[in-house]
């Protein structure tokens, strides 16, 4: 009997799953298909709003300013990010198509995490733009010219790609013998790694490094920059409501996004009473929610973009002049 148990244990260790089932929200049972409606509406909102914003910025020469270009890049990220996981998630809700290969899972993981990190990195670049525009206006054109501005982008891009590539490649070397059921709607790093047999402490550390050295560090840097801008405005004695309102809005958006992301990340690593459905919901929201509302927060609230958007609406004859 002991020999049979030992052989079974060895067999399990030598067996590694190469396909998985994404069964997020499975506890909802017969109510699970109804999630198709809200997620489809958010996906359509994200796709439509970001496409229109990108079109406006590309087609209108008056919007080819550093800040508007950064908003356009943010819209491009927000347009691409949901495409990596929402269509598969919608098919899963409707037809229960949940299977994904290990290679497909790793590719999806890389795309989601790599593109997702650029959301926070773009916020840093936007904060730098506001810093030079308000605190150092004489140096704005010098530092925000494309050749000089690219110097600020090289390190974050290398950092993001290096950390995410290392994290994903390390996950791909694991053996998965516990189960092939991923309790998630897409291939999040820890959702897959926790199914591995053997030591995953290095993978856990890499995930934490990516979370804190990219997302947390970027948001802290952006927040500090905005507080410096607010302090500079207040110190000048001239109350610029627009500048303060913009900074406070950006800080609130970053705080909500990073809080949701860190709660989702840490819920895999600490003992908590988080239900799997709550964890999956937070994970989908920190990716999808910004994609839906960033075009409004960073786009329509910008005067130059708002004016071009209204012209676009009039040209489409949606509203009479």
């Amino acid at each position: 009997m002991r020999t049979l148990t030992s052989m079974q244990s060895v067999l399990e260790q030598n067996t590694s799953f190469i396909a998985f089932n994404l069964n997020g929200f499975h506890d909802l049972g017969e109510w699970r298909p109804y999630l198709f409606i809200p997620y489809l509406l958010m996906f359509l909102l994200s796709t439509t709003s970001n496409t229109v914003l990108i079109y406006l910025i590309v087609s209108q020469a008056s919007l080819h300013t550093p800040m508007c270009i950064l908003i356009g890049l943010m819209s491009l990220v927000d347009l691409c990010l949901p495409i990596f996981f929402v269509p598969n998630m919608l098919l899963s809700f409707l037809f229960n198509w949940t299977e994904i290969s290990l290679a497909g899972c790793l590719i999806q993981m890389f795309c989601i995490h790599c593109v997702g990190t650029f959301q926070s990195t773009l916020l840093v670049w936007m904060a730098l733009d506001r810093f030079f525009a308000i605190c150092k206006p004489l140096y704005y054109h010098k530092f925000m010219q494309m050749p000089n501005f690219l110097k600020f982008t090289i390190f974050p891009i290398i950092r993001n790609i290096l950390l995410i590539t290392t994290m994903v490649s390390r996950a791909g070397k694991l053996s998965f013998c516990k189960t092939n059921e991923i309790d998630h709607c897409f291939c999040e790093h820890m959702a897959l790694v926790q199914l591995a047999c053997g030591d995953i402490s290095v993978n856990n550390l890499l995930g934490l490094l990516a979370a804190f050295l990219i997302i947390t560090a970027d948001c802290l840097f952006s927040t500090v920059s905005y507080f410096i801008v607010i302090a500079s405005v207040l110190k000048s004695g001239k109350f610029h409501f627009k500048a303060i309102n913009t900074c406070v809005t950006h800080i609130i958006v970053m705080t909500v996004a990073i809080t949701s992301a860190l709660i989702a990340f840490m819920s895999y690593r600490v003992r908590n009473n988080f239900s799997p459905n709550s964890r999956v919901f937070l994970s989908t929201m920190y990716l999808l929610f910004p994609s839906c509302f960033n075009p409004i927060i960073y786009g329509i609230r910008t005067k130059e973009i708002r004016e071009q958007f209204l012209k676009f609406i009039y040209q489409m004859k949606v509203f009479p002049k």
Side-chain angles (χ1 to χ4, degrees):
M1 185 67 180
R2 188 175 298 176
T3 303
L4 181 61
T5 304
S6 177
M7 290 178 61
Q8 187 175 5
S9 176
V10 172
L11 183 62
E12 288 178 354
Q13 292 177 358
N14 291 332
T15 302
S16 182
F17 293 107
I18 58 173
F20 300 89
N21 292 315
L22 295 166
N23 60 358
F25 296 115
H26 67 91
D27 291 341
L28 296 180
E30 62 182 8
W31 293 99
R32 187 174 182 268
Y34 291 101
L35 291 174
F36 175 86
I37 298 173
Y39 279 102
L40 175 63
L41 292 176
M42 285 189 289
F43 181 65
L44 292 177
L45 174 61
S46 170
T47 304
T48 304
S49 57
N50 284 295
T51 300
V52 170
L53 191 53
I54 292 171
Y55 169 77
L56 288 175
I57 293 173
V58 171
S59 62
Q60 302 300 320
S62 60
L63 297 180
H64 294 174
T65 61
M67 188 60 176
C68 289
I69 291 173
L70 288 173
I71 293 174
L73 290 174
M74 177 70 80
S75 293
L76 183 61
V77 169
D78 290 335
L79 176 66
C80 295
L81 191 56
I83 294 175
F84 295 133
F85 72 98
V86 174
N88 286 343
M89 190 167 65
L90 296 177
L91 291 174
S92 172
F93 291 153
L94 275 187
F95 306 110
N96 202 31
W97 294 350
T98 61
E99 187 171 335
I100 186 170
S101 66
L102 176 60
C105 189
L106 294 172
I107 292 172
Q108 185 187 58
M109 183 192 303
F110 176 82
C111 292
I112 289 174
H113 288 291
C114 193
V115 175
T117 57
F118 280 97
Q119 281 185 327
S120 64
T121 302
L122 281 166
L123 292 176
V124 173
W125 298 340
M126 289 182 181
L128 282 174
D129 179 271
R130 293 301 84 196
F131 173 80
F132 284 116
I134 296 173
C135 299
K136 304 287 184 181
L138 297 178
Y139 297 94
Y140 180 79
H141 292 289
K142 175 183 177 181
F143 286 101
M144 295 308 294
Q145 284 180 348
M146 192 55 65
N148 291 326
F149 180 70
L150 288 176
K151 297 176 183 178
F152 295 110
T153 68
I154 293 175
F155 173 73
I157 290 175
I158 294 175
R159 176 203 59 181
N160 293 2
I161 294 176
L162 183 61
L163 280 172
I164 299 303
T165 301
T166 304
M167 184 182 76
V168 174
S169 62
R170 182 76 186 187
K173 295 178 181 179
L174 296 172
S175 295
F176 303 95
C177 58
K178 291 183 178 179
T179 178
N180 69 336
E181 300 290 329
I182 301 178
D183 197 2
H184 216 298
C185 289
F186 60 87
C187 286
E188 194 173 50
H189 177 247
M190 283 306 298
L192 175 67
V193 167
Q194 68 178 356
L195 304 183
C197 42
D199 184 22
I200 61 170
S201 57
V202 175
N203 303 86
N204 195 359
L205 178 61
L206 287 172
L208 288 173
L209 285 175
F212 287 101
L213 292 182
I214 299 178
I215 300 175
T216 306
D218 285 349
C219 288
L220 285 175
F221 183 88
S222 300
T223 302
V224 170
S225 298
Y226 283 129
F227 275 120
I228 293 174
V229 170
I230 293 173
S232 177
V233 170
L234 295 177
K235 187 177 179 180
S236 68
K238 298 179 181 179
F239 188 76
H240 297 283
F241 176 78
K242 180 181 177 182
I244 294 178
N245 184 44
T246 299
C247 293
V248 171
T249 303
H250 289 191
I251 290 171
I252 292 173
V253 172
M254 287 188 297
T255 301
V256 172
I258 191 174
T259 300
S260 301
L262 290 180
I263 290 175
F265 291 159
M266 297 306 295
S267 64
Y268 288 103
R269 298 172 170 88
V270 297
R271 293 182 179 273
N272 55 73
N273 296 322
F274 251 65
S275 68
N277 288 341
S278 299
R279 183 192 298 127
V280 174
F281 176 75
L282 278 176
S283 296
T284 56
M285 283 300 101
Y286 81 73
L287 292 177
L288 190 54
F289 185 83
S291 296
C292 293
F293 294 99
N294 279 347
I296 299 173
I297 296 168
Y298 297 107
I300 303 304
R301 293 183 75 254
T302 302
K303 180 182 177 181
E304 296 80 5
I305 295 178
R306 183 170 63 250
E307 291 174 350
Q308 294 299 327
F309 176 73
L310 291 175
K311 290 181 182 179
F312 173 76
I313 294 296
Y314 291 144
Q315 290 173 359
M316 295 293 291
K317 296 182 180 180
V318 175
F319 296 111
K321 291 187 178 180

